[in-house]
Structures are given as C-alpha cells and as structure tokens.
Amino acid sequence: MSTGAVGRAYPRLEGREKVTGTARYAVEYPADGITYGWAVPSAVVRGRITRIDPAEALASPGVLAVLHHGNAPRLAHGPQPELWLLQEPAVHYRGQFIAVVVATSLEAAREGARLVRIDYDAGPHSTVLAADHPGLYRPDKVNPSYPTDTAEGDFDAGYAAAPVRVDATYRTPAYHNNPMEPHAATAQWRDGRLLVHDSTQGASPVRATLAELFEVPPESIRVVAEHVGGGFGSKGYAKASVVLAALAARHMDRPVKLALTRQQLFGPVGYRTPTIQRVRLASDADGRLTAICHDAISQTSTLHEFAEQTAVYTRSMYAAPHRRTTHRLVRLDVPTPFWMRAPGECPGAYALESAMDELATAVGIDPVELRIRNDAQVDPDQGRPFTSRNLVACLCEGAQRFGWADRDPTPRARRDGSWLIGTGVAGSSYPARARPSSATATARPDGSFLVRINATDIGTGARTAMWQVAADALGVPPERVDIRIGDSDLPTAPVAGGSMGTASWSWALIRAGQALREKLRDLPGGRAPGEVTAEVSTDDEVGGQPTLPRYAYGAQFAEVRVDADTGEVRLNRMLGVFAGGRIVNPTTARSQLIGGMTMGLSMALHEEGVLDERYGDWVNHDLATYHITACPDVESIEAYWLDEQDDELNPAGVKGIGEIGIVGAAAAVANAVHHATGVRIRDLPIRLDKLVGPSALA
C-alpha cells in the first residue's frame, strides 16, 4: 500500500533549522577544551623542505603547537597518497599542506601560521597542459573503470569518405568546486576512539580511510555529517581537512576544529581538470552520422592518477557505424584533479554537443532535427537496447515549450538595438546507477516509525526524499516517520554523488519497509508491544542486476543577447526538459535541475581557473576573482520533466537528477552565442574579449 508521499512537493524537513541557523555544520559542534587548527600551505611548486622553524609561531599568544613532518603522528600509507599528510619533507605542488598550527582561538592559529618559517630546496616543475606535452601517456583506464580507448568500424576510412565533415578542437579550463561550507572537520580522540564531524558526501568512506591511515579498527571511528553545505563532488571521499584535524587532535589529545579557507579550496581538495578535446564528425548529405571520433587530453598530478572520463559521453549518445574515442593524460606538478558535478560527461558534452551544432550548420539542418535523426534505441557502445531512452521526447517537448519553431537559423538574424539575439540547443545524458546500501526500519509502540540509513544530504533535499520513500514503503503517512541519516554508526550507504544517491538509498529503504511490514503482519493488531526492527542489505540484489544501458536524458535550450559593440553576453532565458525516471519530490527536483543548468551557464560564460605557470598556482583563488554566475545573470530559467517509467532501474523507479542538468547546459549557451553572432568560440569561457575584434562582431 502506498500513501502517495512520493511525487508530492514536500518542503525540506530541515528547512527551518537551516534558515534559522540552528542546523549544525562540521565545525559548529561544541566540545570541551576545544582548539583550532590552521593549515599551512607550501610556497613552492616542487622540491623539498630543508628547514621548518616554529619558534616565532610558538611564541605567539595562544599558539599551542606546530605540527609538521618532523613531529606529527605517523600515518600508514593508503590508497590516496595525497592524504599522507605531514609525513615527509617532499613538496609535490604549490599549496600542498605541510604544517598545521594549533591554538586556543581561530585568530591565534591564523597568526601562528603566518609566523612559521619554512625553507625549501626548489626544483624545476611542469604545470601547463598542452596537446604536445612530451609526457602524454595512455592510462590503463578512465574513471571509474571505463576502457581508456574504444573503436568500432574504421573511423579513418569512414571519415575520409563522408561528404560532410567537422573537425574542431574545444578547450575547457580548470573549474573549482566552491561549496558554501568549506572543507571542514571537528575531531576528538577519547580512549583510542575517534569522533569526527566532517563536511563530507559520505561518512562511511571517510571512516574507512581514517581507519586505514591511523591503523585502528573502523568500529573505533565515528563520522557524523548530519548537515553538509554543498560538495559538488569535491567531498566525495576523505580530504585533507579531516585528516589534518584528526592528526592534530591525536597530537594535542584535545578536540580540534579545522576549516580550510576559501583560497585553500582552489587545488588541494580537487578541481575539474582542464581539457583539450578534438571532435571529428562525418555525415551524409542528410545529416546522418557515419563517423565519430572524440580524442580527450587532461591532466593529473604526480601523486595520484585521476583520469577524467571525458570522451565516454560520446560512446553512447549518438549512433554511427565508425566510432573511436581516446583519452590521454599527463602528470604535472599540480594538485590531483577530482570529481566535479557530472565529471567527464559535463566537459565531454560541451565538446560533442558543440560539434553537433557545427555539423548542423555545415549540413544546413535544424540542430534539433539533426539530433533526432541520429537518435539510437540500441546503445552504440554496449550493443544492447537502452532500458529507456527519451532524448527525442525531451528535445521535442523542449522545442515546443521554448518556441523553437519560430527560430530563423541564420546567424545574426535577430537584433534588438545593439543587442544580437541567438538561441541554442544541446542534448544531454547521464548514467543511471545504483550501489548497494543497508537500512533499518523500526516500528515503535506509539505507532510511529524510525528509519535509519547512512545517506548524506549535501543540500539536495535527500533527507526529505528518503523520508517520502520510507513512508510509502511502510504504508503510513509521512508524519509518522522519523528519519536518521549522516552518521557512520548507521547502516552503511554509498556517497551522495554520481546521481546514484536516491536510487541506491531508496532501494534499501523500500526493502526495509517491506521487511518490517512482514514482521508486523504476524503480530496481533499489527502493532508491536515493544520496538520491532527489520534490517536489510541490497548487496546481492544490486549486485545481481543485469548490465544494461541505463541513462537519464535531457535537452537544454538557451537564448542569449550579445552587445555588438562591447561583446557583453547576457542570458535572456534557459529551459530544460529531462527524463529522469520517477520524480520523488518536485520541489527539490526542480532545485537540482535549475542548479545544474545555472552551473552550466557559469561554465560557459564566467568560470576559469587562471594558472600562473611560474608559480604553479591559480591566481584567481577567491570568489572575487574566480567569477561564478550570480542571481542577476539568470533572468529566466525553467525546468520540466517527463512522466517516465523504467522497470529496469530500481524499486523506486528513479534515475537520479543531480548531474543531468549541467551536462548539456554550457554547449546550449555556446551554441546560442554562435547563432547570435556568427562567431564560434571553442575555448571556454566565452568572454567579451573573444567576441570583439576585426574578425569577430565587426
């Protein structure tokens, strides 16, 4: 029996706490004898620390200790070398954390960090990604476990024989996650046990990492992440802040709060790698693709290989008999890149969907029609039918809602005074995944219920969505259900990332609700004299699911205006239509979709990590100089979705919508700018200096 909670627009359960400031984040939990940590970054790109002199810092009022490789507690080598902090004098990139100052106040810790004297023996470095870099190599795989290269048919022959060809190279810069809550943690050791309040997308993986680094049983560590102020992928695993806090707390035998500064988020906690992407498309005279090749180049660090799966998007999006994708990587003296919203698919879609727009122009076909003609019901990569594929439906409904039929395809055809008006479109897709989870459901004597799962709400509304799913699974009004999440002492669940959170967690909650109802069915009156609990794990069920191509789809439409004199670009409106399976909560779903599209707009027009190769660091490492889209930049943005049912997904029928909104958004904006101006910008962001000049808007 369903109570109909799923599908209803409930407000967030924790909304009042957040807007009144009573919701506690990682460094807001009280503790007796609290101290404050401040991370000290390296000032050279590559080299070796020859001397650390903490004397002046230790003499500063309030400073209690300066931890560094010479006195910090020892850590075990783990699978994430960038977390082997304060263990060696080697410096692998500028900004690497090489010391921590602990003090009785935050201000004292900051002042102490300024006073630590460090000498280095600096060496030569390489920090710039280039298509001809001598260090380019072929990684064994790309994230998380995709083949590095793929080939079907004979691309070279198919491309050479085609009457219409596009060959273009697209570049994206480094992008930086900037969640409202920085990477932060409060750590305290008691009787050999570690309690951590961490800003993370997954408490269970953090516990596992800390257990390995500190060589203690996982059961002796508790990680709490009840409220998290954003992550966008950067908090997908344990990061420096939680390791440094735990190290300092062990050294001091006192609780330590440590939050990274905004500037320290630009690099050491991860970022989206810059990319260089060459896309070649070939078609017949009617625009039907005959050959596709997508070659992607990105960077990683010398510490750890992170291979962005940029070209994977192209493998399943549009069909062609001759296909090839490749990935090449170079190790640079930079921080390790990491997950950022829709990793791989986001930059990959920008290149492919821009190239599709260029092909539409070359063939003389409407860009929406071109995508419809190249739709595929069988996955070109796996050779199996998609469980559901509603890309065409998204394109058609989006075109109707946007008013696409009235579009004049000629660039520069619309003008309003000095403003040139243009419209653009892009398709989008993102895998629909699920991972094993565990959950418990408990019936209480008073008729209420408690469900527990170590899911994480990073600001998406996940807590509310899970509450709705649990209520329907239990067959009771949601007001009778309490939910507990964000604590490693709760049943294990995967991270909030990869658009798989709701799909994974709801699976376990549904099974726990069903199991509890079975137990209650045999009790007199269906009510327990005491608490009755059912606990489930979906390991076997999820693990036994057949390997099928499961994807969410979308279509993003954008209208921009470009000042013909100054090159200023403004967004008039943006609209997206998506096929994301069953929508659990329309309110939070819309928030996710428009948030993704807004980040895509930011990628197209504003965001760019500017690297100074002399110092191996980004010069614009704050929100004053690293520009992001703000409210005035988004004049009108709309998100819609299809009523989609896919029985090959999971018991809740959800696909996940955290990523799909951003995937095609930047390409839609870039394509609209081209339509407005006739100028094709293939190197993001689209700044006015790229549009103004003798060969541009004149």
Side-chain angles (χ1 to χ4, degrees):
M1 179 182 70
S2 171
T3 61
V6 170
R8 293 179 59 186
Y10 285 95
R12 297 177 190 232
L13 295 176
E14 78 287 5
R16 179 177 294 275
E17 287 81 357
K18 285 184 174 177
V19 299
T20 58
T22 58
R24 283 180 172 159
Y25 291 84
V27 292
E28 296 179 332
Y29 287 87
D32 294 333
I34 196 72
T35 62
Y36 298 84
W38 194 279
V40 179
S42 69
V44 300
V45 183
R46 181 170 173 265
R48 191 173 185 85
I49 299 168
T50 57
R51 182 180 73 100
I52 291 184
D53 182 359
E56 192 175 353
L58 290 170
S60 181
V63 173
L64 302 173
V66 177
L67 278 73
H68 51 82
H69 69 273
N71 65 354
R74 295 296 90 188
L75 296 175
H77 277 286
Q80 301 175 56
E82 62 269 27
L83 295 183
W84 202 57
L85 295 162
L86 312 189
Q87 303 297 298
E88 60 175 353
V91 174
H92 301 277
Y93 59 86
R94 184 182 176 94
Q96 178 181 336
F97 298 126
I98 56 176
V100 171
V101 174
V102 184
T104 56
S105 71
L106 185 64
E107 294 78 10
R110 179 176 60 187
E111 176 64 9
R114 187 183 68 84
L115 297 174
V116 176
R117 304 300 175 220
I118 305 173
D119 294 334
Y120 307 89
D121 180 11
H125 61 264
S126 176
T127 58
V128 179
L129 179 67
D132 59 352
H133 195 288
L136 283 172
Y137 70 97
R138 180 184 184 276
D140 292 334
K141 64 177 183 178
V142 293
N143 295 327
S145 57
Y146 290 110
T148 304
D149 300 343
T150 60
E152 188 73 27
D154 187 338
F155 168 76
D156 293 323
Y159 184 78
V164 183
R165 296 189 292 269
V166 168
D167 184 348
T169 298
Y170 305 89
R171 289 176 169 83
T172 60
Y175 298 111
H176 298 275
N177 297 292
N178 269 290
M180 286 190 290
E181 182 190 20
H183 290 247
T186 301
Q188 51 187 313
W189 292 85
R190 289 181 181 173
D191 302 322
R193 298 180 60 84
L194 173 62
L195 171 63
V196 169
H197 291 86
D198 190 25
S199 184
T200 177
Q201 292 175 227
S204 295
V206 171
R207 180 176 69 171
T209 298
L210 292 176
E212 188 168 13
L213 286 172
F214 287 93
E215 297 183 288
V216 297
E219 301 77 30
S220 67
I221 298 176
R222 182 185 179 193
V223 179
V224 178
E226 185 178 359
H227 299 290
V228 179
F232 308 116
S234 69
K235 299 175 183 175
Y237 293 100
K239 289 302 178 72
S241 52
V242 69
V243 177
L244 292 175
L247 270 173
R250 171 168 273 192
H251 179 82
M252 300 298 301
D253 196 25
R254 289 175 65 176
V256 173
K257 292 185 178 184
L258 189 150
L260 301 184
T261 67
R262 181 63 59 184
Q263 291 80 5
Q264 290 172 341
L265 302 188
F266 285 75
V269 298
Y271 57 95
R272 196 193 299 280
T273 172
T275 69
I276 302 171
Q277 303 177 60
R278 183 185 182 190
V279 178
R280 284 172 284 176
L281 303 179
S283 78
D284 61 22
D286 294 326
R288 289 182 172 82
L289 288 166
T290 57
I292 302 175
C293 182
H294 191 163
D295 301 312
I297 297 173
S298 61
Q299 70 188 38
T300 189
S301 70
T302 59
L303 272 172
H304 180 67
E305 182 179 277
F306 184 90
E308 184 93 327
Q309 67 276 31
T310 310
V312 168
Y313 176 84
T314 297
R315 295 175 183 174
S316 296
M317 192 59 180
Y318 302 110
H322 306 291
R323 295 176 292 108
R324 186 168 71 210
T325 64
T326 69
H327 295 84
R328 295 297 179 267
L329 205 58
V330 61
R331 293 187 181 275
L332 299 175
D333 299 307
V334 296
T336 306
F338 200 64
W339 311 111
M340 187 170 177
R341 197 171 197 168
E345 282 78 8
C346 178
Y350 162 66
L352 178 62
E353 296 296 331
S354 296
M356 288 291 285
D357 199 66
E358 297 204 45
L359 180 64
T361 300
V363 179
I365 293 178
D366 179 83
V368 171
E369 176 60 27
L370 178 72
R371 288 168 172 81
I372 293 173
R373 290 187 188 185
N374 289 286
D375 187 40
Q377 294 303 307
V378 173
D379 182 3
D381 189 43
Q382 292 189 34
R384 306 183 70 176
F386 295 99
T387 60
S388 59
R389 182 174 167 104
N390 282 305
L391 173 62
V392 170
C394 291
L395 287 163
C396 291
E397 180 159 339
Q400 187 274 324
R401 289 181 177 272
F402 191 76
W404 186 264
D406 299 330
R407 179 184 192 258
D408 185 332
T410 308
R412 301 175 66 100
R414 287 181 61 196
R415 190 162 186 146
D416 180 10
S418 65
W419 294 101
L420 301 168
I421 312 297
T423 53
V425 64
S428 55
S429 72
Y430 195 80
R433 305 184 180 99
R435 295 290 181 268
S437 292
S438 299
T440 64
T442 299
R444 296 160 165 163
D446 63 0
S448 67
F449 296 83
L450 172 65
V451 294
R452 299 180 300 158
I453 184 170
N454 189 20
T456 312
D457 190 332
I458 58 174
T460 60
R463 177 187 279 100
T464 307
M466 294 304 96
W467 172 71
Q468 293 174 246
V469 168
D472 278 4
L474 292 165
V476 300
E479 293 76 15
R480 290 172 57 188
V481 179
D482 293 326
I483 184 168
R484 298 287 182 270
I485 66 169
D487 188 331
S488 64
D489 278 359
L490 300 174
T492 303
V495 299
S499 290
M500 63 183 180
T502 301
S504 304
W505 306 327
S506 64
W507 199 325
L509 288 171
I510 288 171
R511 296 299 184 239
Q514 291 171 342
L516 180 60
R517 290 171 69 179
E518 286 291 327
K519 284 189 172 185
L520 295 177
R521 191 170 290 124
D522 297 330
L523 296 175
R527 181 169 294 190
E531 289 190 349
V532 177
T533 297
E535 183 171 359
V536 300
S537 167
T538 62
D539 284 47
D540 293 339
E541 193 174 2
V542 174
Q545 196 178 34
T547 302
L548 297 172
R550 302 176 177 89
Y551 289 87
Y553 291 95
Q556 286 98 329
F557 295 78
E559 180 182 273
V560 302
R561 64 185 187 274
V562 183
D563 191 293
D565 299 319
T566 67
E568 177 187 359
V569 182
R570 303 290 293 178
L571 179 78
N572 286 347
R573 58 195 176 108
M574 197 168 198
L575 183 148
V577 175
F578 304 94
R582 193 179 186 193
I583 300 300
V584 176
N585 186 320
T587 297
T588 55
R590 180 180 180 275
S591 176
Q592 284 297 288
L593 294 171
I594 65 173
M597 287 191 284
T598 301
M599 286 186 73
L601 167 65
S602 195
M603 171 182 173
L605 301 183
H606 299 130
E607 293 189 47
E608 178 183 22
V610 180
L611 187 81
D612 188 328
E613 62 181 286
R614 297 171 300 169
Y615 304 107
D617 198 4
W618 289 278
V619 296
N620 56 336
H621 50 242
D622 55 43
L623 293 182
T625 52
Y626 180 84
H627 296 156
I628 61 172
T629 291
C631 290
D633 299 308
V634 186
E635 298 184 22
S636 173
I637 188 164
E638 301 173 73
Y640 303 93
W641 49 82
L642 306 179
D643 184 13
E644 184 181 52
Q645 180 175 339
D646 187 331
D647 296 330
E648 296 289 345
L649 296 172
N650 47 69
V654 300
K655 286 186 172 180
I657 53 174
E659 261 91 3
I660 189 65
I662 194 178
V663 173
V669 174
N671 294 339
V673 170
H674 172 261
H675 182 236
T677 65
V679 180
R680 178 71 64 178
I681 304 299
R682 303 187 181 94
D683 182 4
L684 293 183
I686 304 172
R687 297 193 309 261
L688 54 84
D689 60 295
K690 297 178 183 179
L691 287 169
V692 175
S695 61
L697 296 181

